[in-house]
Amino acid sequence: MGAQLRVYKRRIKSVTATKKITKAMEMIAASRIIKAQRQVTASTPYATELTRAVTAVATGSNTKHPLTTEAASPTRAALLLITSDRGLAGGYSSNVIKAAERLTEQLRGEGKEVDSYIVGRKGVAYYGFRERKVTESWTGFTDNPVYANAKEIAAPLIAAVQQDTAEGGVDELHIVFTEFESMLTQTPVAPRLLPLRLEDDPSTEAVGKPEALPLFEFEPSAEGVLDALLPRYVESRIYNALLQAAASKHAATRRAMKAATDNAGELIKTLGRLANAARQAEITQEISEIVGGSSALADANAGSEK
């Protein structure tokens, strides 16, 4: 076997092994998407109804509360960025990081300082490489988040919102994550969690007219109800965002691994054609050598007979 043919065969063997790995990863990601979709579907109604309840309290009372009242001159904002712990997901993490960068520039343009809170090793590595300050970070659960993770993340954010800005608190809370729309579409979004924008309430219909909210009586007081709802609201929205991000990441991984598997298949076909051409060239060369040797032998025999 010629040297060139051996090179092609080694490359074919290597690419075939890679193709098996990417195919397996594609199938694993596809199986995880189903579970992630179910979790998103199960958590979204709770987060939506809790937001409606907060809106009802806010519109039904004149109580000033960090959940619903905007500062006259906001000077500080918290930004929670949700990325992935793992790679091999195409541009998933880079796209959401770019969205966070745009939001950070916008907030700074408005004269606000930004405290960064990061979820996922990709985001932590991005900020660490650029030597940017991270107020707090969490890693190790982005593929399969649970509600306890959301509570852990929400605790310092709620404390920062309730604290005075002069003592390190914040006036606003923003979250940047990837919203799962379908298997083919995942979009980075950057909603503001606090203070709650009443015009963004989910009771608002597509035509832009808010749905009529029922009247409530608050016991012991509207402020007490808001105090009780604040952690639940933030936790539920963060949990839903974590689940949306996880589903988006699995979809991105599946799409990236499918593309890698298809590319590996095409490369194997190309290398196979090159290997066949090299083999044919070797056979042609061997035949030419045999014919040349036979002709030389015949000429030598003819010369000896003379």
Side-chain angles (χ1 to χ4, degrees), residues 70-94:
E70 295 194 30
S73 300
T75 58
R76 199 177 192 92
L79 187 152
L80 174 62
L81 169 62
I82 300 178
T83 63
S84 175
D85 287 320
R86 303 172 184 267
L88 300 177
Y92 166 77
S93 290
S94 62

Side-chain angles (χ1 to χ4, degrees), residues 163-294:
Q163 193 174 15
D164 189 86
T165 53
E167 300 175 357
V170 298
D171 298 308
E172 298 176 356
L173 171 57
H174 300 259
I175 181 171
V176 184
F177 65 99
T178 305
E179 185 178 39
F180 181 85
E181 298 180 15
S182 67
M183 294 287 287
L184 298 177
T185 306
Q186 301 87 43
T187 307
V189 294
R192 191 183 77 180
L193 293 190
L194 296 175
L196 177 66
R197 287 191 176 101
L198 300 184
E199 64 269 19
D200 294 339
D201 172 57
S203 65
T204 302
E205 299 176 345
V207 295
K209 297 180 180 179
E211 180 183 328
L213 294 171
L215 296 176
F216 291 95
E217 291 185 3
F218 309 111
E219 292 291 343
S221 64
E223 185 176 0
V225 173
L226 288 173
D227 286 337
L229 287 178
L230 175 60
R232 302 292 180 270
Y233 166 75
V234 176
E235 289 167 7
S236 66
R237 292 294 298 271
I238 291 176
Y239 181 52
N240 184 258
L242 289 172
L243 293 177
Q244 297 255 14
S248 299
K249 189 268 177 184
H250 294 318
T253 298
R254 178 183 176 275
R255 190 165 57 249
M257 292 300 99
K258 185 179 187 306
T261 302
D262 293 343
N263 291 339
E266 292 296 323
L267 183 56
I268 290 171
K269 290 180 182 179
T270 301
L271 292 173
R273 287 193 293 266
L274 293 174
N276 290 336
R279 185 182 297 109
Q280 291 172 359
E282 287 183 10
I283 293 172
T284 302
Q285 183 179 357
E286 290 175 1
I287 292 174
S288 298
E289 290 175 354
I290 292 172
V291 171
S294 177

Side-chain angles (χ1 to χ4, degrees), residues 45-108:
Y46 176 77
T48 301
E49 289 304 317
L50 192 55
T51 304
R52 282 170 51 84
V54 172
T55 302
V57 178
T59 56
S61 68
N62 296 322
T63 302
K64 292 185 177 181
H65 194 275
L67 188 60
T68 57
T69 305
E70 295 194 30
S73 300
T75 58
R76 199 177 192 92
L79 187 152
L80 174 62
L81 169 62
I82 300 178
T83 63
S84 175
D85 287 320
R86 303 172 184 267
L88 300 177
Y92 166 77
S93 290
S94 62
N95 289 337
V96 73
I97 288 173
K98 288 177 182 177
E101 292 284 78
R102 289 193 294 269
L103 177 59
T104 300
E105 291 179 4
Q106 176 186 335
L107 293 173
R108 287 175 177 167

